[in-house]
């Protein structure tokens, strides 16, 4: 038995007006939390401050979906870690597959973003995952290890203390295809083994590893039952209050 507190995180992506975000967070503050998990939501930047304000006094923590690597400057449209923190973000996603594939975030860029977040005391949810081609070529574990190695390059175990890893197979995000619990467990166990080798067994044992990719109210229980799955990062179903509430309150 481990004593890692599970995490259920929702990534709202580029969805929701201010009013829709306000309704959703208000509903989620009443969702209950029978498993005493950590609950995180990542609204889009336009809603972040409002959601943070409405979540105050609840157990829900607020994450940004991304941060820039500089604190300020001529980077039109980007948001710095200073601004994210000021708006109410205690955590940030970094390396979501949509950032990697749509916006071209490389391992090198992600490494600078991790540094920026840590510099400002923002907790990092670092996302990794393989494409379908990589899985079919038998390269899943190699790809994940390389993303971890390069994205987290040059940080000490002390600096990375509290980092959260999210394993999100690209082929399962927003597709309705979910990795089987066994596939998720295999990768999570390998991520943990990598962390033990690269840092220390104690660090690996303490680090939460989330699964993401079409997690639903109907499959969360079996995914959460796997020993190395410490939580879920949820896209689509985190936008629907009663579905996300069911995911938060998964059955053991
Ligand atoms: C995500 O965007 O992180 C995600 C896992 O999305 P979905 O749950 O919709 O697959």
């Amino acid at each position: 038995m481990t004593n890692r507190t599970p995490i259920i995180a929702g990534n709202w992506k580029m969805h929701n007006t201010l009013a829709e975000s306000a309704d959703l967070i208000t509903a989620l503050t009443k969702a209950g939390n029978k498993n005493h998990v950590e609950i995180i939501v990542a609204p889009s930047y336009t809603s972040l401050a409002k959601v943070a304000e409405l979540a105050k006094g609840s157990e829900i923590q607020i994450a940004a979906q991304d941060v820039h690597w500089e604190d300020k400057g001529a980077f039109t449209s980007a948001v710095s870690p200073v601004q994210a923190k000021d708006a109410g973000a205690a955590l940030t996603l970094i390396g979501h597959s949509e950032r990697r594939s749509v916006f071209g975030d490389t391992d090198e860029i992600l490494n600078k973003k991790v540094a920026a977040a840590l510099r400002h005391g923002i907790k990092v949810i670092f996302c990794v995952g393989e494409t379908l081609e990589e899985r079919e070529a038998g390269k899943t574990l190699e790809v994940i290890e390389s993303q971890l190695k390069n994205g987290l390059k040059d940080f000490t175990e002390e600096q990375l203390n509290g980092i959260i890893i999210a394993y999100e197979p690209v082929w399962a995000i927003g597709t309705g295809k979910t990795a089987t619990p066994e596939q998720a467990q295999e990768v999570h166990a390998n991520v943990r083994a990598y962390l033990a080798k690269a840092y220390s067994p104690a660090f690996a044992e303490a680090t939460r590893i989330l699964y993401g990719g079409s997690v639903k109210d109907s499959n969360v229980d079996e995914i959460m039952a796997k020993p190395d799955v410490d939580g879920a990062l949820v896209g689509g179903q985190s936008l629907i209050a009663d579905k996300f509430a069911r995911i938060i309150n998964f059955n053991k």
Side-chain angles (χ1 to χ4, degrees), residues 214-240:
S214 298
V215 172
K216 307 184 207 41
D217 53 347
S218 56
N219 60 20
V220 63
D221 299 345
E222 53 180 13
I223 292 169
M224 288 302 296
K226 291 293 174 192
D228 284 295
V229 175
D230 305 313
L233 177 54
V234 186
Q237 287 223 329
S238 72
L239 295 167
I240 307 166

PDB file of all heavy atoms in Angstrom, residues 214-240:
ATOM      1  N   SER A 214      -9.274  10.075 -22.454  1.00  0.00           N
ATOM      2  CA  SER A 214     -10.647   9.573 -22.483  1.00  0.00           C
ATOM      3  C   SER A 214     -11.081   8.898 -21.178  1.00  0.00           C
ATOM      4  O   SER A 214     -11.790   7.890 -21.186  1.00  0.00           O
ATOM      5  CB  SER A 214     -10.867   8.650 -23.679  1.00  0.00           C
ATOM      6  OG  SER A 214     -10.663   9.378 -24.886  1.00  0.00           O
ATOM      7  N   VAL A 215     -10.643   9.467 -20.047  1.00  0.00           N
ATOM      8  CA  VAL A 215     -11.164   8.976 -18.765  1.00  0.00           C
ATOM      9  C   VAL A 215     -12.616   9.432 -18.653  1.00  0.00           C
ATOM     10  O   VAL A 215     -12.949  10.577 -18.940  1.00  0.00           O
ATOM     11  CB  VAL A 215     -10.337   9.509 -17.569  1.00  0.00           C
ATOM     12  CG1 VAL A 215     -11.001   9.144 -16.243  1.00  0.00           C
ATOM     13  CG2 VAL A 215      -8.920   8.965 -17.622  1.00  0.00           C
ATOM     14  N   LYS A 216     -13.466   8.498 -18.246  1.00  0.00           N
ATOM     15  CA  LYS A 216     -14.902   8.772 -18.161  1.00  0.00           C
ATOM     16  C   LYS A 216     -15.438   8.254 -16.836  1.00  0.00           C
ATOM     17  O   LYS A 216     -14.780   7.460 -16.156  1.00  0.00           O
ATOM     18  CB  LYS A 216     -15.653   8.019 -19.264  1.00  0.00           C
ATOM     19  CG  LYS A 216     -15.157   8.209 -20.676  1.00  0.00           C
ATOM     20  CD  LYS A 216     -16.097   7.458 -21.608  1.00  0.00           C
ATOM     21  CE  LYS A 216     -15.549   6.961 -22.894  1.00  0.00           C
ATOM     22  NZ  LYS A 216     -14.343   6.378 -23.127  1.00  0.00           N
ATOM     23  N   ASP A 217     -16.675   8.653 -16.558  1.00  0.00           N
ATOM     24  CA  ASP A 217     -17.326   8.122 -15.359  1.00  0.00           C
ATOM     25  C   ASP A 217     -17.421   6.603 -15.432  1.00  0.00           C
ATOM     26  O   ASP A 217     -17.399   5.917 -14.420  1.00  0.00           O
ATOM     27  CB  ASP A 217     -18.705   8.767 -15.154  1.00  0.00           C
ATOM     28  CG  ASP A 217     -19.605   8.676 -16.381  1.00  0.00           C
ATOM     29  OD1 ASP A 217     -19.107   8.343 -17.485  1.00  0.00           O
ATOM     30  OD2 ASP A 217     -20.816   8.936 -16.247  1.00  0.00           O
ATOM     31  N   SER A 218     -17.494   6.056 -16.664  1.00  0.00           N
ATOM     32  CA  SER A 218     -17.681   4.611 -16.821  1.00  0.00           C
ATOM     33  C   SER A 218     -16.381   3.801 -16.750  1.00  0.00           C
ATOM     34  O   SER A 218     -16.422   2.581 -16.620  1.00  0.00           O
ATOM     35  CB  SER A 218     -18.384   4.324 -18.149  1.00  0.00           C
ATOM     36  OG  SER A 218     -17.633   4.911 -19.201  1.00  0.00           O
ATOM     37  N   ASN A 219     -15.207   4.459 -16.865  1.00  0.00           N
ATOM     38  CA  ASN A 219     -13.974   3.644 -16.818  1.00  0.00           C
ATOM     39  C   ASN A 219     -13.015   4.071 -15.706  1.00  0.00           C
ATOM     40  O   ASN A 219     -11.979   3.447 -15.506  1.00  0.00           O
ATOM     41  CB  ASN A 219     -13.255   3.650 -18.184  1.00  0.00           C
ATOM     42  CG  ASN A 219     -12.836   5.057 -18.625  1.00  0.00           C
ATOM     43  OD1 ASN A 219     -12.724   5.971 -17.821  1.00  0.00           O
ATOM     44  ND2 ASN A 219     -12.603   5.226 -19.917  1.00  0.00           N
ATOM     45  N   VAL A 220     -13.375   5.134 -14.981  1.00  0.00           N
ATOM     46  CA  VAL A 220     -12.427   5.642 -13.975  1.00  0.00           C
ATOM     47  C   VAL A 220     -12.147   4.610 -12.876  1.00  0.00           C
ATOM     48  O   VAL A 220     -11.000   4.482 -12.428  1.00  0.00           O
ATOM     49  CB  VAL A 220     -12.921   6.990 -13.369  1.00  0.00           C
ATOM     50  CG1 VAL A 220     -14.230   6.854 -12.612  1.00  0.00           C
ATOM     51  CG2 VAL A 220     -11.847   7.598 -12.485  1.00  0.00           C
ATOM     52  N   ASP A 221     -13.151   3.848 -12.483  1.00  0.00           N
ATOM     53  CA  ASP A 221     -12.954   2.940 -11.343  1.00  0.00           C
ATOM     54  C   ASP A 221     -11.873   1.901 -11.641  1.00  0.00           C
ATOM     55  O   ASP A 221     -10.998   1.639 -10.820  1.00  0.00           O
ATOM     56  CB  ASP A 221     -14.268   2.212 -10.993  1.00  0.00           C
ATOM     57  CG  ASP A 221     -15.375   3.179 -10.597  1.00  0.00           C
ATOM     58  OD1 ASP A 221     -15.074   4.356 -10.323  1.00  0.00           O
ATOM     59  OD2 ASP A 221     -16.548   2.752 -10.568  1.00  0.00           O
ATOM     60  N   GLU A 222     -11.929   1.325 -12.856  1.00  0.00           N
ATOM     61  CA  GLU A 222     -10.950   0.268 -13.171  1.00  0.00           C
ATOM     62  C   GLU A 222      -9.555   0.839 -13.391  1.00  0.00           C
ATOM     63  O   GLU A 222      -8.559   0.200 -13.070  1.00  0.00           O
ATOM     64  CB  GLU A 222     -11.408  -0.571 -14.369  1.00  0.00           C
ATOM     65  CG  GLU A 222     -11.746   0.246 -15.594  1.00  0.00           C
ATOM     66  CD  GLU A 222     -12.194  -0.613 -16.780  1.00  0.00           C
ATOM     67  OE1 GLU A 222     -12.474  -1.802 -16.581  1.00  0.00           O
ATOM     68  OE2 GLU A 222     -12.244  -0.066 -17.912  1.00  0.00           O
ATOM     69  N   ILE A 223      -9.503   2.063 -13.906  1.00  0.00           N
ATOM     70  CA  ILE A 223      -8.178   2.680 -14.104  1.00  0.00           C
ATOM     71  C   ILE A 223      -7.562   3.024 -12.744  1.00  0.00           C
ATOM     72  O   ILE A 223      -6.392   2.741 -12.482  1.00  0.00           O
ATOM     73  CB  ILE A 223      -8.295   3.935 -14.997  1.00  0.00           C
ATOM     74  CG1 ILE A 223      -8.674   3.506 -16.426  1.00  0.00           C
ATOM     75  CG2 ILE A 223      -6.995   4.739 -15.024  1.00  0.00           C
ATOM     76  CD1 ILE A 223      -9.076   4.635 -17.340  1.00  0.00           C
ATOM     77  N   MET A 224      -8.376   3.603 -11.870  1.00  0.00           N
ATOM     78  CA  MET A 224      -7.863   4.001 -10.550  1.00  0.00           C
ATOM     79  C   MET A 224      -7.492   2.800  -9.675  1.00  0.00           C
ATOM     80  O   MET A 224      -6.803   2.957  -8.679  1.00  0.00           O
ATOM     81  CB  MET A 224      -8.900   4.878  -9.822  1.00  0.00           C
ATOM     82  CG  MET A 224      -9.057   6.266 -10.389  1.00  0.00           C
ATOM     83  SD  MET A 224      -7.526   7.229 -10.421  1.00  0.00           S
ATOM     84  CE  MET A 224      -7.168   7.375  -8.679  1.00  0.00           C
ATOM     85  N   ALA A 225      -7.960   1.618 -10.065  1.00  0.00           N
ATOM     86  CA  ALA A 225      -7.666   0.420  -9.262  1.00  0.00           C
ATOM     87  C   ALA A 225      -6.225  -0.059  -9.453  1.00  0.00           C
ATOM     88  O   ALA A 225      -5.737  -0.885  -8.685  1.00  0.00           O
ATOM     89  CB  ALA A 225      -8.636  -0.698  -9.634  1.00  0.00           C
ATOM     90  N   LYS A 226      -5.552   0.442 -10.478  1.00  0.00           N
ATOM     91  CA  LYS A 226      -4.192  -0.036 -10.736  1.00  0.00           C
ATOM     92  C   LYS A 226      -3.192   0.599  -9.764  1.00  0.00           C
ATOM     93  O   LYS A 226      -3.286   1.793  -9.463  1.00  0.00           O
ATOM     94  CB  LYS A 226      -3.794   0.289 -12.191  1.00  0.00           C
ATOM     95  CG  LYS A 226      -4.574  -0.543 -13.193  1.00  0.00           C
ATOM     96  CD  LYS A 226      -4.183  -2.013 -13.054  1.00  0.00           C
ATOM     97  CE  LYS A 226      -5.018  -2.928 -13.908  1.00  0.00           C
ATOM     98  NZ  LYS A 226      -4.852  -4.348 -13.595  1.00  0.00           N
ATOM     99  N   PRO A 227      -2.241  -0.192  -9.279  1.00  0.00           N
ATOM    100  CA  PRO A 227      -1.396   0.285  -8.173  1.00  0.00           C
ATOM    101  C   PRO A 227      -0.521   1.492  -8.481  1.00  0.00           C
ATOM    102  O   PRO A 227      -0.212   2.270  -7.583  1.00  0.00           O
ATOM    103  CB  PRO A 227      -0.530  -0.943  -7.836  1.00  0.00           C
ATOM    104  CG  PRO A 227      -0.626  -1.839  -9.019  1.00  0.00           C
ATOM    105  CD  PRO A 227      -1.960  -1.587  -9.633  1.00  0.00           C
ATOM    106  N   ASP A 228      -0.109   1.641  -9.738  1.00  0.00           N
ATOM    107  CA  ASP A 228       0.756   2.787 -10.052  1.00  0.00           C
ATOM    108  C   ASP A 228      -0.003   3.954 -10.665  1.00  0.00           C
ATOM    109  O   ASP A 228       0.605   4.934 -11.091  1.00  0.00           O
ATOM    110  CB  ASP A 228       1.906   2.345 -10.974  1.00  0.00           C
ATOM    111  CG  ASP A 228       2.948   1.584 -10.187  1.00  0.00           C
ATOM    112  OD1 ASP A 228       3.579   2.197  -9.299  1.00  0.00           O
ATOM    113  OD2 ASP A 228       3.104   0.365 -10.403  1.00  0.00           O
ATOM    114  N   VAL A 229      -1.325   3.854 -10.717  1.00  0.00           N
ATOM    115  CA  VAL A 229      -2.144   4.968 -11.218  1.00  0.00           C
ATOM    116  C   VAL A 229      -2.603   5.770  -9.997  1.00  0.00           C
ATOM    117  O   VAL A 229      -3.367   5.284  -9.176  1.00  0.00           O
ATOM    118  CB  VAL A 229      -3.355   4.465 -12.040  1.00  0.00           C
ATOM    119  CG1 VAL A 229      -4.243   5.637 -12.445  1.00  0.00           C
ATOM    120  CG2 VAL A 229      -2.881   3.696 -13.271  1.00  0.00           C
ATOM    121  N   ASP A 230      -2.083   6.983  -9.910  1.00  0.00           N
ATOM    122  CA  ASP A 230      -2.364   7.804  -8.722  1.00  0.00           C
ATOM    123  C   ASP A 230      -3.398   8.878  -8.982  1.00  0.00           C
ATOM    124  O   ASP A 230      -3.577   9.775  -8.153  1.00  0.00           O
ATOM    125  CB  ASP A 230      -1.070   8.470  -8.245  1.00  0.00           C
ATOM    126  CG  ASP A 230       0.026   7.455  -7.988  1.00  0.00           C
ATOM    127  OD1 ASP A 230      -0.264   6.443  -7.324  1.00  0.00           O
ATOM    128  OD2 ASP A 230       1.154   7.660  -8.465  1.00  0.00           O
ATOM    129  N   GLY A 231      -4.039   8.813 -10.133  1.00  0.00           N
ATOM    130  CA  GLY A 231      -5.050   9.822 -10.410  1.00  0.00           C
ATOM    131  C   GLY A 231      -5.323   9.916 -11.891  1.00  0.00           C
ATOM    132  O   GLY A 231      -4.806   9.123 -12.688  1.00  0.00           O
ATOM    133  N   ALA A 232      -6.145  10.892 -12.242  1.00  0.00           N
ATOM    134  CA  ALA A 232      -6.546  11.048 -13.639  1.00  0.00           C
ATOM    135  C   ALA A 232      -6.481  12.511 -14.039  1.00  0.00           C
ATOM    136  O   ALA A 232      -6.774  13.408 -13.241  1.00  0.00           O
ATOM    137  CB  ALA A 232      -7.964  10.525 -13.833  1.00  0.00           C
ATOM    138  N   LEU A 233      -6.078  12.719 -15.289  1.00  0.00           N
ATOM    139  CA  LEU A 233      -6.160  14.040 -15.913  1.00  0.00           C
ATOM    140  C   LEU A 233      -7.252  13.908 -16.977  1.00  0.00           C
ATOM    141  O   LEU A 233      -7.144  13.084 -17.880  1.00  0.00           O
ATOM    142  CB  LEU A 233      -4.815  14.436 -16.522  1.00  0.00           C
ATOM    143  CG  LEU A 233      -4.757  15.768 -17.277  1.00  0.00           C
ATOM    144  CD1 LEU A 233      -5.260  16.936 -16.442  1.00  0.00           C
ATOM    145  CD2 LEU A 233      -3.323  16.048 -17.733  1.00  0.00           C
ATOM    146  N   VAL A 234      -8.284  14.708 -16.817  1.00  0.00           N
ATOM    147  CA  VAL A 234      -9.510  14.502 -17.586  1.00  0.00           C
ATOM    148  C   VAL A 234      -9.795  15.719 -18.455  1.00  0.00           C
ATOM    149  O   VAL A 234      -9.788  16.844 -17.958  1.00  0.00           O
ATOM    150  CB  VAL A 234     -10.703  14.296 -16.610  1.00  0.00           C
ATOM    151  CG1 VAL A 234     -11.963  13.926 -17.379  1.00  0.00           C
ATOM    152  CG2 VAL A 234     -10.380  13.250 -15.556  1.00  0.00           C
ATOM    153  N   GLY A 235     -10.038  15.497 -19.735  1.00  0.00           N
ATOM    154  CA  GLY A 235     -10.389  16.598 -20.625  1.00  0.00           C
ATOM    155  C   GLY A 235     -11.896  16.716 -20.745  1.00  0.00           C
ATOM    156  O   GLY A 235     -12.573  17.328 -19.921  1.00  0.00           O
ATOM    157  N   GLY A 236     -12.441  16.096 -21.788  1.00  0.00           N
ATOM    158  CA  GLY A 236     -13.861  16.239 -22.137  1.00  0.00           C
ATOM    159  C   GLY A 236     -14.828  16.136 -20.962  1.00  0.00           C
ATOM    160  O   GLY A 236     -15.688  17.009 -20.785  1.00  0.00           O
ATOM    161  N   GLN A 237     -14.672  15.107 -20.158  1.00  0.00           N
ATOM    162  CA  GLN A 237     -15.672  14.906 -19.099  1.00  0.00           C
ATOM    163  C   GLN A 237     -15.478  15.845 -17.910  1.00  0.00           C
ATOM    164  O   GLN A 237     -16.353  15.922 -17.046  1.00  0.00           O
ATOM    165  CB  GLN A 237     -15.686  13.447 -18.654  1.00  0.00           C
ATOM    166  CG  GLN A 237     -16.343  12.555 -19.707  1.00  0.00           C
ATOM    167  CD  GLN A 237     -17.294  11.529 -19.133  1.00  0.00           C
ATOM    168  OE1 GLN A 237     -17.122  11.045 -18.012  1.00  0.00           O
ATOM    169  NE2 GLN A 237     -18.296  11.161 -19.912  1.00  0.00           N
ATOM    170  N   SER A 238     -14.383  16.601 -17.906  1.00  0.00           N
ATOM    171  CA  SER A 238     -14.231  17.563 -16.804  1.00  0.00           C
ATOM    172  C   SER A 238     -15.071  18.810 -17.046  1.00  0.00           C
ATOM    173  O   SER A 238     -15.202  19.666 -16.168  1.00  0.00           O
ATOM    174  CB  SER A 238     -12.756  17.951 -16.628  1.00  0.00           C
ATOM    175  OG  SER A 238     -12.310  18.786 -17.674  1.00  0.00           O
ATOM    176  N   LEU A 239     -15.658  18.899 -18.235  1.00  0.00           N
ATOM    177  CA  LEU A 239     -16.516  20.056 -18.560  1.00  0.00           C
ATOM    178  C   LEU A 239     -17.961  19.819 -18.161  1.00  0.00           C
ATOM    179  O   LEU A 239     -18.797  20.715 -18.261  1.00  0.00           O
ATOM    180  CB  LEU A 239     -16.464  20.327 -20.072  1.00  0.00           C
ATOM    181  CG  LEU A 239     -15.096  20.764 -20.604  1.00  0.00           C
ATOM    182  CD1 LEU A 239     -15.059  20.686 -22.122  1.00  0.00           C
ATOM    183  CD2 LEU A 239     -14.764  22.176 -20.127  1.00  0.00           C
ATOM    184  N   ILE A 240     -18.262  18.594 -17.750  1.00  0.00           N
ATOM    185  CA  ILE A 240     -19.643  18.253 -17.401  1.00  0.00           C
ATOM    186  C   ILE A 240     -19.669  17.971 -15.900  1.00  0.00           C
ATOM    187  O   ILE A 240     -19.078  16.983 -15.428  1.00  0.00           O
ATOM    188  CB  ILE A 240     -20.108  17.012 -18.195  1.00  0.00           C
ATOM    189  CG1 ILE A 240     -19.861  17.233 -19.693  1.00  0.00           C
ATOM    190  CG2 ILE A 240     -21.584  16.700 -17.933  1.00  0.00           C
ATOM    191  CD1 ILE A 240     -19.954  15.971 -20.534  1.00  0.00           C
TER     192      ILE A 240
END
